[in-house]
Amino acid sequence: LLELGVAVGFIFGTYFLAKFKSHGYFWFMLGNIAAASLMMKQGYYLLMTQQLFSFCIVLDAYFVRKKKLGEKKAGRSDINIDYGN
């Protein structure tokens, strides 16, 4: 079940981010948590820690994107984001 969570999380995360959908970040976080859980279950604590760091990076990327989109919607002209829309 954890292997399925890893695969689905990374596949859907990649797909949705390629389509400029911000919920792709949540799928990536699911993949990171599932991978960290799997590594912990197998006793690979260093790899588990790496997955948790990766989770934090994805979470930070989500908040950065959310902030930039909020500033773009507020009409700030100094932000140039092209999401292909």
Side-chain angles (χ1 to χ4, degrees):
L1 186 61
L2 291 174
E3 292 92 349
L4 185 63
V6 172
V8 169
F10 287 120
I11 288 172
F12 281 137
T14 303
Y15 174 77
F16 286 125
L17 288 177
K19 297 288 183 179
F20 305 104
K21 308 281 185 191
S22 62
H23 58 272
Y25 291 106
F26 295 111
W27 285 101
F28 264 119
M29 287 186 257
L30 170 71
N32 286 128
I33 294 297
S37 300
L38 184 62
M39 294 300 117
M40 184 179 70
K41 184 177 177 182
Q42 294 179 349
Y44 298 118
Y45 298 109
L46 179 62
L47 296 176
M48 177 195 73
T49 304
Q50 289 175 336
Q51 288 298 321
L52 293 175
F53 279 132
S54 184
F55 172 83
C56 292
I57 291 170
V58 173
L59 186 64
D60 180 58
Y62 170 75
F63 284 119
V64 166
R65 179 170 178 175
K66 185 177 173 182
K67 180 182 176 190
K68 286 187 178 185
L69 285 177
E71 290 173 350
K72 184 178 179 185
K73 289 179 184 177
R76 296 222 8 211
S77 62
D78 59 335
I79 297 174
N80 185 13
I81 303 173
D82 181 19
Y83 288 112
N85 294 336

